[in-house]
């Protein structure tokens, strides 16, 4: 038989390896995201930062059940995403021009207008919309929502439902319903698909916009209670409520001492790193926890400087010498890395470098004096310099400073590890040991590179196959570098945005020329930390 020529040609179904630069090549972000933040601020995610979305989504789940709509996740998802779209249209037309950012803003910008009517749509593509992305997990953690599959009575629920056994959940839904029940949107348009008259959206905006909690004291109190109180019907996991209350109250004490905490993450990091917790044992505990998170991020930024400088120089040497570097050549990169900035003598004892560190030249007229700088200055300096030498100087300074602080909260965080990295306390103890043993700057930098950069990256990258995230790997006795992203990797969120925005929405502080705590905020601090 004569076969067509093309039938003998190979036809690939899919790539074996998928190129992916990856976001956490050394496993340092996962320590914060997966271990520390869920423990220190349970029930609050980085993007679950708008208080009124909690009462809005509670209302949607309750309304879905009241209407006896099909008890499937697919149908609930469509309902939620359409209602989020409609709320987004209202937020865009807020008469206060508040500038709030609704879920699905990118899609909302494409909304059509025809003869005074606005087209309908869905907020985002993801299942269950913004609720599923940002609020489902927190509301379940808070004991407000039972997810699909949760045993309720003698059978599991087939769809997410508001927990009717939680008085806090019922008050939350009723808080939003009481604000919007008389609007034409809720009475005639909620759940429909036809275009919305502009006047209907504008009326809805007056009552439903995300900025309106200041006119709804009962609804605001219901959200406050959902976050900071418990009830017998749906109790929260042991310890989570107390930890969340302590962390939020501690944030408010930082804001009271340094108002810029409300405005910039840098000010928040600076204040948290230096806070001691002056209001008693529980405050010292939570202050120690958050101070240690900031110290951990200094370690991460310094290690990132080692990483980026090593990748840059290794890739450049590979292009000069051939396909890869043998072990001796890799080890020989260390003196080049110490060329800075700042310039460090490879033969200098690490103890001398620690005792008299060179200034970090982030600007010609304002070099950072390492011994006098706070941890946030050091974090920013090595980030800007992006050099292995600056990372080594900062790690030495950090290793010395962490010994000056003790306490259970501080120790708890610094002794936390991840699936990929050793605890920060273990790493810095190793640094101090090598310094005491007389290691040179060259030897200490090589120890850090080999243990926390080269070895860790290979283990992590192999675990992600078939996603190919390698920036380098050993092959046949050579370290082969890949031009697959040489920039810095970001630090993980330290929850500044949700802490700042949720506490403002709840009226715990108010903005102005100088942000300041309100009486409600001061009362929460006194209740939790006294």
């Amino acid at each position: 038989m004569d076969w067509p020529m093309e039938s003998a040609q190979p036809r690939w179904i899919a790539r074996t390896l998928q190129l992916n630069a990856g976001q956490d090549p050394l496993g340092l972000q996962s320590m914060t995201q997966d271990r520390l933040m869920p423990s220190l601020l349970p029930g609050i995610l980085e993007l679950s930062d708008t208080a009124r979305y909690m009462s809005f989504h509670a209302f949607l789940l309750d309304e879905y059940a009241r209407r006896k709509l099909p008890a499937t996740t697919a149908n609930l998802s469509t309902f939620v995403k359409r209602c989020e779209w409609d709320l987004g249209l209202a937020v865009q037309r807020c008469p206060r021009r508040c500038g709030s950012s609704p879920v699905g803003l990118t899609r909302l910008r494409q909304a059509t207008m025809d003869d005074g009517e606005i087209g309908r749509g869905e907020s985002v593509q993801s299942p269950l919309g913004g609720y599923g992305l940002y609020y489902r997990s927190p509301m379940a953690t808070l004991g407000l929502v039972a997810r699909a599959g949760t045993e309720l009575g003698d059978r599991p629920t087939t769809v997410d439902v508001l927990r009717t056994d939680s008085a806090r959940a019922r008050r939350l839904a009723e808080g939003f319903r009481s604000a919007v029940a008389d609007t034409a949107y809720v009475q005639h348009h909620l759940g429909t698909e036809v275009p919305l008259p502009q006047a209907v959206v504008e009326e809805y905006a007056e009552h439903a916009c995300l900025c309106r909690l200041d006119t709804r004291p009962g609804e605001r109190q219901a959200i406050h209670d959902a976050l900071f109180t418990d009830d017998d019907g749906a109790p929260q996991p042991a310890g989570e409520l107390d930890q969340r209350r302590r962390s939020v109250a501690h944030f408010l004490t930082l804001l009271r001492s340094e108002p810029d905490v409300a405005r910039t993450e840098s000010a928040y990091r600076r204040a948290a790193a230096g806070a001691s917790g002056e209001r008693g044992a529980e405050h010292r505990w939570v202050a120690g926890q958050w101070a240690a998170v900031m110290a951990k991020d200094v370690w991460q930024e310094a290690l990132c400087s080692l990483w980026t400088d090593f990748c840059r120089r290794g890739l450049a040497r590979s292009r000069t010498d051939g396909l890869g570097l043998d072990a001796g050549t890799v080890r020989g990169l260390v003196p080049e890395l110490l060329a800075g900035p700042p310039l460090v003598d490879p033969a200098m004892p690490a103890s001398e470098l620690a005792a008299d560190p060179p200034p970090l030249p982030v600007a010609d007229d304002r070099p950072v004096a390492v011994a006098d700088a706070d941890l946030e200055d050091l974090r920013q300096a090595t980030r800007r310099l992006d050099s292995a030498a600056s990372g080594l100087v900062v790690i030495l300074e950090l290793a010395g400073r962490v010994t000056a602080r003790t306490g259970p909260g501080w120790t708890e965080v610094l002794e936390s590890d991840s699936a990929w990295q050793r605890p920060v306390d273990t790493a810095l103890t190793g640094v101090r040991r090598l310094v005491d043993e007389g290691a040179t700057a060259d030897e200490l930098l090589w120890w850090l590179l080999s243990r926390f950069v080269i070895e860790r990256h290979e283990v992590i990258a192999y675990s992600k196959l078939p996603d190919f995230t390698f920036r380098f790997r050993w092959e046949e006795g050579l370290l082969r570098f890949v031009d697959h992203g040489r920039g810095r990797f970001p630090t993980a969120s330290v929850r500044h945005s949700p802490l700042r925005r949720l506490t403002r929405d709840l009226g715990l502080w108010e903005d102005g020329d100088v942000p300041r705590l309100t009486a409600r905020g001061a009362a929460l601090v006194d209740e939790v930390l006294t």
Side-chain angles (χ1 to χ4, degrees):
M1 176 180 286
D2 294 329
W3 294 96
M5 180 64 69
E6 63 268 21
S7 67
Q9 297 174 355
R11 297 187 179 185
W12 305 115
I13 297 173
R15 289 177 179 269
T16 303
L17 296 177
Q18 302 297 323
L19 297 180
N20 186 339
Q23 294 295 314
D24 193 17
L26 300 184
L28 290 164
Q29 288 188 74
S30 65
M31 186 184 296
T32 301
Q33 292 172 340
D34 301 337
R35 298 288 178 89
L36 298 179
M37 288 304 106
S39 173
L40 269 60
L41 198 58
I44 298 178
L45 304 180
E46 175 63 14
L47 295 176
S48 59
D49 60 0
T50 304
R52 204 174 195 193
Y53 266 124
M54 292 181 63
S55 54
F56 170 70
H57 286 123
F59 163 72
L60 292 188
L61 293 178
D62 190 48
E63 191 70 13
Y64 193 84
R66 288 187 181 202
R67 294 178 179 223
K68 295 182 170 55
L69 297 173
T72 69
T73 297
N75 281 281
L76 175 62
S77 178
T78 299
F79 178 80
V80 167
K81 290 192 286 186
R82 288 175 177 171
C83 291
E84 288 178 344
W85 170 276
D86 294 346
L87 178 63
L89 294 176
V91 171
Q92 289 182 312
R93 291 157 178 80
C94 175
R96 292 177 169 182
R97 301 182 184 276
C98 68
S100 296
S101 181
V103 169
L105 181 59
T106 300
R107 287 188 168 191
L108 285 162
R109 289 179 177 139
Q110 302 168 14
T112 60
M113 171 79 79
D114 184 21
D115 196 23
E117 293 187 325
I118 307 171
R120 309 294 281 275
E122 295 185 354
S123 57
V124 294
Q125 184 175 359
S126 300
L128 293 171
Y131 163 70
L133 287 171
Y134 313 129
Y135 293 91
R136 185 189 193 205
S137 174
M139 292 178 74
T141 297
L142 294 168
L144 307 171
V145 166
R147 294 187 182 191
T150 302
E151 292 283 346
L152 294 178
D154 59 352
R155 67 177 62 182
T157 175
T158 60
V159 68
D160 285 23
V161 296
L162 198 69
R163 293 198 69 120
T164 56
D165 55 351
S166 167
R168 293 177 301 124
R170 296 194 302 272
R171 289 196 301 270
L172 201 59
E174 189 54 37
F176 191 85
R177 174 176 286 107
S178 66
V180 300
D182 294 333
T183 63
Y185 169 78
V186 170
Q187 292 186 358
H188 304 294
H189 298 275
L190 192 157
T192 67
E193 300 180 39
V194 298
L196 287 171
Q198 183 169 340
V200 168
V201 177
E202 290 173 349
E203 182 205 19
Y204 188 44
E206 293 179 6
H207 302 277
C209 186
L210 302 173
C211 71
R212 289 285 178 167
L213 281 179
D214 60 345
T215 67
R216 305 290 306 173
E219 184 183 353
R220 175 183 266 179
Q221 186 62 47
I223 300 170
H224 184 282
D225 291 346
L227 285 166
F228 303 127
T229 68
D230 211 347
D231 54 27
D232 294 335
Q236 301 173 56
E240 290 191 358
L241 172 62
D242 290 340
Q243 177 65 52
R244 182 168 55 254
R245 284 162 53 89
R246 285 194 297 266
S247 288
V248 171
H250 176 55
F251 174 81
L252 295 176
T253 67
L254 299 179
L255 188 153
R256 179 159 55 189
S257 299
E258 178 46 67
D260 278 349
V261 163
R263 291 179 171 159
T264 71
E265 183 174 308
S266 179
Y268 168 53
R269 287 179 175 276
R270 197 181 309 276
S276 58
E278 72 280 359
R279 298 178 67 91
E282 289 204 353
H283 193 193
R284 285 192 294 275
W285 184 297
V286 71
Q289 289 175 320
W290 285 97
V293 169
M294 305 311 163
K296 176 263 174 191
D297 277 358
V298 176
W299 160 253
Q300 175 172 327
E301 291 281 23
L303 208 58
C304 184
S305 293
L306 271 63
W307 155 265
T308 52
D309 209 353
F310 179 73
C311 288
R312 279 195 304 267
R313 294 177 190 266
L315 189 61
R317 180 66 69 86
S318 295
R319 287 171 173 163
T320 300
D321 295 352
L323 293 176
L325 309 183
D326 61 30
T329 305
V330 173
R331 178 65 179 85
L333 288 176
V334 175
E336 296 181 24
L337 294 169
L338 289 170
L343 177 64
V344 174
D345 181 356
M348 173 185 285
S351 58
E352 293 183 14
L353 182 61
D356 187 20
L360 301 177
V362 293
D364 292 339
D365 57 338
R366 295 193 311 276
V368 174
V370 173
D372 298 329
D374 61 32
L375 288 180
E376 177 61 9
D377 288 333
L378 296 178
R379 186 186 73 84
Q380 291 189 21
T382 189
R383 182 178 183 85
R384 290 171 185 163
L385 291 172
D386 200 26
S387 66
S390 71
L392 177 62
V393 168
V394 169
I395 287 172
L396 278 169
E397 182 67 19
L398 180 66
R401 290 195 191 187
V402 296
T403 62
R405 184 161 188 163
T406 59
W410 171 263
T411 302
E412 169 195 337
V413 170
L414 287 190
E415 290 183 350
S416 297
D417 61 2
S418 73
W420 307 117
Q421 283 285 0
R422 301 168 179 85
V424 176
D425 182 68
T426 299
L428 296 178
T429 297
V431 170
R432 291 191 297 271
R433 175 179 56 77
L434 287 173
V435 170
D436 292 343
E437 291 175 355
T440 64
D442 176 277
E443 291 167 340
L444 179 56
L445 181 53
W446 174 244
W447 180 80
L448 289 164
L449 281 169
S450 58
R451 179 165 296 223
F452 299 102
V453 175
I454 300 172
E455 172 195 316
R456 288 294 88 198
H457 175 61
E458 279 204 290
V459 171
I460 292 167
Y462 272 114
S463 76
K464 294 181 179 179
L465 290 172
D467 283 347
F468 188 90
T469 61
F470 289 94
R471 313 296 174 87
F472 50 77
R473 63 174 175 174
W474 287 104
E475 294 179 6
E476 299 178 341
L478 297 176
L479 190 63
R480 301 182 188 274
F481 285 80
V482 181
D483 194 359
H484 191 193
R486 288 164 283 160
R488 300 183 70 85
F489 48 83
T491 52
S493 159
V494 288
R495 299 295 192 265
H496 176 250
S497 177
L499 282 168
R500 176 179 68 85
R501 295 187 61 180
L502 288 173
T503 53
R504 181 198 61 195
D505 288 355
L506 292 175
L508 302 178
W509 64 273
E510 58 189 14
D511 214 342
D513 293 338
V514 178
R516 66 179 185 85
L517 255 60
T518 62
R520 286 172 59 88
L524 181 66
V525 170
D526 289 342
E527 176 188 338
V528 174
L529 296 180
T530 299

